[in-house]
């Protein structure tokens, strides 16, 4: 692995329980989240859900800079399969905001149109054609602004499991955001993807997974939200996703993108001072340090 790996590690507000899903636990204020990011040793972050950072992109950049951080990109769920939707009109202000904030990676998810990630829908052939075409159109629009668009296979979205991922790989040119947790929970093999199609990986979200809880999500004995609240996502090295092998595989293939630490969590309330999600992020950073040559 290259010595610059730690220079390509970023954070994300979801590790502090900040999420776009209505009713997703207690939402901490930006000052605490961003302050703790810097305290654990992060210098860059994804932006978090719409509304987490108040104001426009100029204010976002100033707030991040006040905490010693800068933005690298953000997660944007968008309905992509409905022919009546003008996805380019919907994504244009997002891309403009990202560019103004200095964020260079768009992490798309193919949203179902339902709230949350506990239920799914399945598409007809024509809807798949629309979705794949829209992915390429958004990719081109993002590139015109100097932004790299990626598609995030994500539990509870249209593109979740191996069959849908294969369809995206075969039917569009968009790179993937390889999320080690969502892929495993959705029934895919993140290690195999990293080894077989590293050239299609444009961004990476690193999380570890309790495989037993993940199996309960796949069998529908737990909803996705219930499993996250029960601690399905673990600090790196404490779960079953094989994160070390995935990182080594990507680095050996010449991957030069970001590794975003994401240990999705659901909070019941404001953690006491000095306690809370930061400890897990700190442990994940230490795990990556120990992977260095």
């Amino acid at each position: 692995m290259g010595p610059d790996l730690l220079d390509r590690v970023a954070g994300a507000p979801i590790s502090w329980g900040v999420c776009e899903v209505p009713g997703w636990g207690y939402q901490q204020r930006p000052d605490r989240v961003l302050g703790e990011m810097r305290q654990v040793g992060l210098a860059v972050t994804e932006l978090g859900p719409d509304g987490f950072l108040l104001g426009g992109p100029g204010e976002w950049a100033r707030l991040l800079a006040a905490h010693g951080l800068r933005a690298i990109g953000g997660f944007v769920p968008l309905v992509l399969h409905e022919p009546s939707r003008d996805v380019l009109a919907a994504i244009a202000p997002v891309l403009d905001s990202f560019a103004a904030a200095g964020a260079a990676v768009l992490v798309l998810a193919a949203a179902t149109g339902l709230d949350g990630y506990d239920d799914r829908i399945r598409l007809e052939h024509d809807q798949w054609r629309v979705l794949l075409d829209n992915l390429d159109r958004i990719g081109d629009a993002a590139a015109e602004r100097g932004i790299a668009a990626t598609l995030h296979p994500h539990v509870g979205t249209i593109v979740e499991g191996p069959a849908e991922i294969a369809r995206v790989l075969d039917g569009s040119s968009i790179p993937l955001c390889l999320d080690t947790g969502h892929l495993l929970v959705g029934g895919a093999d993140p290690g195999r993807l990293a080894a077989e199609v590293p050239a299609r990986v444009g961004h990476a979200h690193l999380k570890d997974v309790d495989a037993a809880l993940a199996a309960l999500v796949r069998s529908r004995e737990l909803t996705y939200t219930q499993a996250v609240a029960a601690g399905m996502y673990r600090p790196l090295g404490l779960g079953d996703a094989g994160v070390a092998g995935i990182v080594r595989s990507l680095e050996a293939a010449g991957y030069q993108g970001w590794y975003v630490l994401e240990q999705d969590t659901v909070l019941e309330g404001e953690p006491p001072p000095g306690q809370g999600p930061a400890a897990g992020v700190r442990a994940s950073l230490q795990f990556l340090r120990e992977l260095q040559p």
Side-chain angles (χ1 to χ4, degrees), residues 9-222:
V9 175
I14 186 63
S15 294
W16 278 261
V18 178
C19 185
E20 72 282 355
V21 176
W24 184 276
Y26 179 80
Q27 301 294 289
Q28 295 190 88
R29 293 175 57 82
D31 281 350
R32 175 160 185 182
V33 173
L34 301 178
E36 290 188 352
M37 281 189 184
R38 197 68 189 103
Q39 288 169 16
V40 302
L42 295 169
V44 289
T45 181
E46 289 192 0
L47 288 165
D50 188 31
F52 172 61
L53 300 179
L54 299 179
E59 287 85 356
W60 305 344
R62 285 191 288 273
L63 178 60
L64 292 172
H67 289 279
L69 298 165
R70 63 183 177 88
I72 57 160
F75 176 71
V76 179
L78 191 64
V79 174
L80 299 168
H81 60 274
E82 295 180 356
S84 61
R85 288 182 183 253
D86 186 344
V87 297
L88 292 185
I91 204 66
V94 176
L95 294 173
D96 291 342
S97 293
F98 275 30
V105 183
L106 173 68
V107 184
L108 284 170
T112 62
L114 306 172
D115 283 339
Y117 302 114
D118 293 337
D119 296 297
R120 297 186 68 213
I121 62 172
R122 299 193 181 277
L123 302 189
E124 303 295 333
H125 175 76
D126 288 349
Q127 292 174 306
W128 266 107
R129 183 168 46 79
V130 171
L131 184 150
L132 295 171
D133 181 57
N134 279 334
L135 288 174
D136 285 339
R137 295 168 69 213
I138 291 174
D140 291 342
E144 291 173 0
R145 294 165 170 84
I147 295 171
T150 63
L151 187 278
H152 185 336
H154 191 292
V155 174
T157 68
I158 302 299
V159 182
E160 176 182 290
E164 296 94 22
I165 294 166
R167 228 166 162 157
V168 170
L169 291 173
D170 292 342
S172 80
S173 61
I174 196 166
L176 297 179
C177 170
L178 189 145
D179 186 301
T180 57
H182 278 277
L183 289 167
L184 191 153
V185 178
D189 183 340
R192 183 173 179 179
L193 272 173
E196 293 184 353
V197 292
R200 288 295 296 271
V201 177
H203 196 56
H205 285 175
L206 298 183
K207 51 172 67 78
D208 221 332
V209 183
D210 182 314
L213 286 171
L216 294 178
V217 176
R218 288 193 297 274
S219 66
R220 304 188 70 82
E221 294 174 66
L222 285 179

